[in-house]
Amino acid sequence: MRLYLGYPYSVGSDGKFKLKDNFLKEVGIDYSSIPIEVKKKLLSVLDNLEKRKYLFIKEVFYDAIDIVEFALFGVEVREYTELLLPGYLYGKPTFLIRNLIRETFGKKISVYYDFNLFEKEALVINVGYTKTAISVGGKLLNVIPLGEFHFIDLFGSYLFNRIVGETGTSNAQLRKEGIRGEILDKCRAQGARILFKRSKEVRIEELNYFREIDEKEVELALSPLVGKSAYGDFIEKPFDFSSSLIYSLYKFEELFKERAKIRKVVLIGRLTEPFKKRLTEILPVNVFNIDEVQLLEEEVKNRNFKVSLIRSSFSSKGKEKLQVKGEKVKGDLRELRFYFNKKDLKGLSVIESLSEGKDREEVKKFVYELISLLKRSSYKDEREIKYINHSIAALTKLEVPEELFQKVLKELERHAFNWRLPAEVQMNLLFFCYRNRERVKGSSLEIFPSLLLSKLRNTKLSEGEKNFIRTACQEFYRG
């Protein structure tokens, strides 16, 4: 018989159960009575098994592994011969669990991982609370610091920032009234219901706010975590899900001298929907969700335990300035085209000089040229990113003719939700949204200001830059 320990559900012979529920039942505490920070620690216990004095509750300190021990008191551990674990518990967490079962329950048990259950042609992705395991061809390759919590946290923060902007209130006012934390928690809770497809609306009665959320808005709001990296992109360091997947596939080729032959993708976990669309764009193969109960029925198809594990960390890119070195020149559109084709940075000062133009026909031709530059620029060359940045800054200064605005909007929407761009570029995009707020309303860029505010909250920016982002975001919705 097999026992699976995972998030949010573990599974045994009696069906599904949650470790946190078993623990609280054992210590006689009602889940609804404990603070939100304690709830988070209980939910992320599998991701922190090495932590000592992890939880202080009812005057008692518990190590994280203690919580699992108490949770297993309600499970007939001795009747199981196999233990199945998510890939993200590979290493010391496995040792702690195995030792717990041996020492506390007097049972030696065979341990397998999710990647042992599937054939070599399968990509297995197991989504936990704060970690996700990526296994390719029966080999665990990567554990990334991204899970259900991060999606709910980002989406809830986005909803909160947008609600604050649209209702004309402020963080300071909400703090003064003592309801900021309560409303933020409601945004996260209602955001979670939307992500789990149990609801399509957000309602904050304290602010007399109600709005329905469609799938496109959800997709864009989660784009900072899902990402848009594609096979072939240069990825020095992973920073979201898609870049982590591509990076893992590159590592597979590097280690095993062959390209991974993937014929199906297996998703395990509760919040897997955000990954699905991006996976089918990167890998045109079938994507399957596997319920935890099914894991008890799968045969062990490979017994490979040798892994080449990359434990990725997502660090903030920090305060990024696109330094521009080069001769200051003036020129016309023909010279701008010449410099851009040569990737010569002299073209940047041409953009600056042309953006001062006032003649309507000249502005119109210049805007056409900027649209062309944005279409042809990629993210693989820093010089092209500088051209993207200068083009957006120029479009912000210019009065874009009405007949060209939708073309401009289309290009900016394409760049706005690719979060590989430095913070400086994103702030220029925000300023464009602010200056053209009436014309931007109703487009995808309507989401951008409040999402940027959520995305950059932990980024190393100056106070002046943070204040600019907050003010522009508030004024965008109030305008």
Side-chain angles (χ1 to χ4, degrees):
M1 292 180 66
R2 183 182 294 166
L3 173 67
Y4 173 69
L5 297 183
Y7 177 85
Y9 296 108
S10 298
V11 191
S13 57
D14 294 330
K16 294 182 179 181
F17 63 93
K18 294 182 178 179
L19 291 172
K20 69 173 180 63
D21 292 343
N22 280 17
F23 167 74
L24 291 172
K25 182 179 179 182
E26 196 66 34
V27 296
I29 296 175
D30 183 357
Y31 185 69
S32 62
S33 69
I34 57 180
I36 187 72
E37 290 307 314
V38 175
K39 289 179 179 178
K40 287 179 183 177
K41 285 197 168 188
L42 284 174
L43 290 169
S44 60
V45 67
L46 286 178
D47 303 327
N48 295 282
L49 288 178
E50 300 173 40
K51 298 287 179 69
R52 309 298 299 271
K53 291 190 175 182
Y54 179 67
L55 192 67
F56 182 70
I57 190 169
K58 267 197 171 182
E59 308 302 317
V60 178
F61 275 110
Y62 294 92
D63 295 347
I65 194 66
D66 293 340
I67 296 171
V68 176
E69 178 180 356
F70 275 71
L72 291 180
F73 285 153
V75 179
E76 293 295 330
V77 175
R78 291 181 180 85
E79 71 182 38
Y80 296 102
T81 56
E82 292 181 355
L83 175 66
L84 181 65
L85 298 175
Y88 52 78
L89 293 184
Y90 184 88
K92 189 170 181 181
T94 299
F95 168 78
L96 291 171
I97 295 172
R98 189 201 295 267
N99 191 58
L100 166 68
I101 291 173
R102 184 177 64 246
E103 298 295 326
T104 303
F105 299 96
K107 177 73 176 180
K108 287 187 177 181
I109 196 166
S110 299
V111 177
Y112 294 98
Y113 299 94
D114 48 29
F115 55 85
N116 293 130
L117 302 184
F118 300 95
E119 52 278 317
K120 291 184 178 180
E121 293 80 17
L123 165 66
V124 181
I125 297 174
N126 196 326
V127 183
Y129 187 64
T130 61
K131 293 180 181 177
T132 292
I134 300 174
S135 307
V136 181
K139 300 176 178 70
L140 176 63
L141 278 187
N142 206 346
V143 175
I144 62 176
L146 177 64
E148 182 180 298
F149 164 78
H150 301 99
F151 286 97
I152 293 172
D153 182 56
L154 176 67
F155 191 56
S157 176
Y158 157 73
L159 291 176
F160 174 80
N161 287 326
R162 183 156 177 180
I163 289 166
V164 167
E166 289 183 344
T167 57
T169 187
S170 67
N171 275 281
Q173 181 63 31
L174 294 176
R175 283 194 184 96
K176 186 177 178 180
E177 295 174 13
I179 59 174
R180 182 186 181 277
E182 182 182 339
I183 290 176
L184 181 56
D185 285 344
K186 283 187 176 182
C187 288
R188 286 176 177 147
Q190 294 184 32
R193 287 181 58 80
I194 292 167
L195 292 181
F196 294 134
K197 298 189 180 300
R198 297 172 189 159
S199 171
K200 291 185 177 180
E201 63 184 44
V202 57
R203 184 188 299 272
I204 305 296
E205 293 177 357
E206 293 90 334
L207 300 177
N208 195 29
Y209 184 91
F210 170 79
R211 189 165 65 86
E212 289 197 355
I213 311 293
D214 61 28
E215 289 186 12
K216 182 64 175 176
E217 183 175 349
V218 174
E219 181 184 332
L220 291 173
L222 298 182
S223 61
L225 298 178
V226 176
K228 287 190 175 182
S229 298
Y231 211 96
D233 287 354
F234 171 71
I235 298 168
E236 185 177 14
K237 189 175 184 295
F239 49 88
D240 55 26
F241 167 69
S242 61
S243 63
S244 297
L245 176 59
I246 299 299
Y247 189 74
S248 301
L249 295 176
Y250 291 165
K251 282 296 180 182
F252 186 97
E253 288 188 42
E254 181 183 317
L255 292 166
F256 304 109
K257 311 304 179 189
E258 63 175 336
R259 189 163 179 169
K261 299 177 178 65
I262 298 171
R263 294 183 181 175
K264 76 173 183 178
V265 177
V266 176
L267 289 171
I268 305 167
R270 180 164 60 172
L271 191 58
T272 56
E273 194 63 32
F275 299 123
K276 273 189 175 180
K277 183 178 179 183
R278 192 73 202 108
L279 279 165
T280 55
E281 290 169 348
I282 295 172
L283 299 164
V285 297
N286 292 326
V287 179
F288 300 93
N289 272 86
I290 297 289
D291 185 89
E292 292 90 345
V293 174
Q294 293 174 261
L295 294 174
L296 300 190
E297 302 165 0
E298 294 285 341
E299 294 181 10
V300 175
K301 294 187 173 62
N302 77 82
R303 297 176 182 272
N304 177 33
F305 291 96
K306 293 181 180 179
V307 302
S308 301
L309 187 57
I310 317 157
R311 290 194 182 271
S312 294
S313 60
F314 298 165
S315 60
S316 167
K317 290 183 179 180
K319 182 177 173 181
E320 297 174 83
K321 293 294 183 184
L322 293 170
Q323 301 297 331
V324 179
K325 295 179 181 179
E327 182 184 345
K328 291 282 184 180
V329 298
K330 291 188 177 182
D332 55 20
L333 294 180
R334 182 180 59 81
E335 288 172 302
L336 172 58
R337 211 170 292 131
F338 171 80
Y339 289 136
F340 175 76
N341 289 337
K342 295 287 186 181
K343 301 295 183 288
D344 189 328
L345 296 184
K346 289 178 184 176
L348 302 179
S349 59
V350 176
I351 291 176
E352 290 175 3
S353 64
L354 291 175
S355 63
E356 304 298 330
K358 301 296 181 185
D359 180 78
R360 190 179 187 282
E361 284 305 310
E362 291 299 320
V363 167
K364 189 173 178 180
K365 290 177 183 177
F366 183 39
V367 170
Y368 264 122
E369 193 63 34
L370 292 175
I371 292 171
S372 175
L373 293 187
L374 288 171
K375 280 183 177 177
R376 295 161 60 200
S377 296
S378 71
Y379 311 120
K380 298 178 183 179
D381 188 310
E382 188 181 359
R383 291 170 296 180
E384 291 188 51
I385 292 176
K386 291 175 180 177
Y387 269 98
I388 292 172
N389 190 41
H390 271 65
S391 297
I392 294 169
L395 289 167
T396 301
K397 292 179 184 177
L398 296 167
E399 292 297 329
V400 179
E402 193 62 41
E403 62 269 29
L404 293 180
F405 192 79
Q406 289 304 313
K407 292 181 183 293
V408 169
L409 203 59
K410 181 180 178 182
E411 286 308 307
L412 295 189
E413 284 175 331
R414 187 169 67 85
H415 290 292
F417 298 99
N418 193 319
W419 301 93
R420 296 173 65 183
L421 292 171
E424 184 182 347
V425 183
Q426 293 164 352
M427 285 193 282
N428 275 328
L429 278 161
L430 174 62
F431 195 43
F432 177 88
C433 293
Y434 167 72
R435 280 210 64 201
N436 298 277
R437 50 193 177 278
E438 291 305 322
R439 294 201 281 181
V440 163
K441 296 287 176 67
S443 73
S444 295
L445 286 183
E446 188 172 11
I447 294 171
F448 185 75
S450 48
L451 184 56
L452 180 64
L453 186 58
S454 303
K455 170 68 171 59
L456 295 184
R457 59 189 161 160
N458 297 320
T459 303
K460 296 176 184 176
L461 298 172
S462 70
E463 278 305 310
E465 289 165 328
K466 288 179 180 178
N467 286 333
F468 163 72
I469 293 169
R470 289 191 202 101
T471 303
C473 181
Q474 291 171 356
E475 294 300 320
F476 173 81
Y477 293 108
R478 289 173 187 172

